[in-house]
Amino acid sequence: MVDSPTPPWDPAALAAADHAHCWHPFTPMGEWMEDDPLILVGGEGCWLVDARGNRYLDANSSIWTNVHGHGHPRITEAIRDQAATLDHASFLGTTNPWAINLAEKLAALMPALPRVFFTDDGSTAVECALKMSIQARQLMGEAGRSRFVAFDRAYHGDTMGASSLGGVSTFFERFRGFGFQPIRCSSVEDLRQLDAGTIASLNAVVIEPLIQGVNRMHLWPPGMLTDLRAWCDEHAVWLVLDEVMTGFGRTGRMFACQHEEVVPDFLCLAKGLTGGTVPLAATLTSGKVFSAFLDDGTGDRTFYYGHSYCGNPIGCAAALASLEVFEKERVLDGLAAKIEHFSKVLEQVRWSCAPHVGAVRQLGLMAGIDLVQADGSTYPPAARMGQVACRAMREAGVLTRPILDTIVLMPPLAISREEINHLARGVRAGIHAATAGVGKV
Ligand SMILES: *Cc1c(COP(=O)(O)O)cnc(C)c1O
């Protein structure tokens, strides 16, 4: 028997130990230590269970990761078997069947990008694409093409390179001077305004296709990705798609770029890759980029980049199992009906919570609901209405996090019609409770 935590849980003792030793991401810790923490001890399908036995619908897929529900038997079994067979072995100069098989499967999903580099999470998938593209340009004799274009209010992760691309000021302003400076734009039109010299200095454009998650679920206009691809082609600039959030069915297709039949030069995948069970990421690229790294007798062309857990067999086995679930359960085929129902309940939330709901943005099974004051203006930031509403939703058995005053909903693809209804009831209850009796603040 292993000496790891087991029930019965002692929430007070766990809270005290957490407050003494844990440091949580994106969390104001002073406030955290004043509060009673939500201690999650179990996951079953789309539900999470806390130490007191309360159940919550996982309305943001455990920060955008979970795909097939928690504890899916096929994935659980794959992880268990893999841990017993080969837990980890280095991918530096050796290989393993699970990583090989997964690379093959990912390449089959995106045939134009048959070369797969494994990393650990979204940030490192983006970091890898940046370094790969920098070195590829050097190897191709295009070292002058060294600059990146990133979009306003983008989010590409928190490592220094990836966060240099970030444009959400709350997160990145503090670190602005420490990374590199991308060229920042807000539309394809902005790119068209760049002078020839700047364009000639560009390596790649990096974008979250179709929808920017952290930017409060901002939707790009339809056709934008197509226009961007065309502009990149015209100027021999590479296109890096960050599908860390949008990959693996969230938009209704396997990848967001498939909605516009756009093929990038680099594709970054993470969050949903393992079905949201264990960390694993991948950066896919073309044969053309890869071949620049092959020895041609002119010197060392090695890509000196990697992480300890690259190609981790447990992660790869989990990802293979997740892809198998996509196939066996025909997950993508079932999405259209769920997305339509999700749209319908979002519309109900909008009218039943009027006038406190402003815009509602939806793509696939992702949505952002803006909370506004009765006169349509935004709440003062100090009211922290998004936070208050999500706390009230928690009481109603729905768990998610806001981004400012936008409630983010992104349930697992496995969510049922009844669970979508529960989600909507919880969201309505939360918004009503938070905004009840609140006039103009
Ligand atoms: C979450 C996210 C990342 C960063 O991924 P991590 O796994 O948190 O490092 C990068 N890009 C996008 C679009 C994301 O949503």
Side-chain angles (χ1 to χ4, degrees), residues 63-64 120-124 126 155-158 208 213-214 242-246 270-271:
I63 208 71
W64 315 352
D120 302 334
D121 48 43
S123 306
T124 49
V126 171
Y155 181 81
H156 297 290
D158 288 327
E208 299 154 81
V214 174
D242 175 352
E243 292 231 26
V244 170
M245 177 184 77
T246 50
K271 290 190 171 106

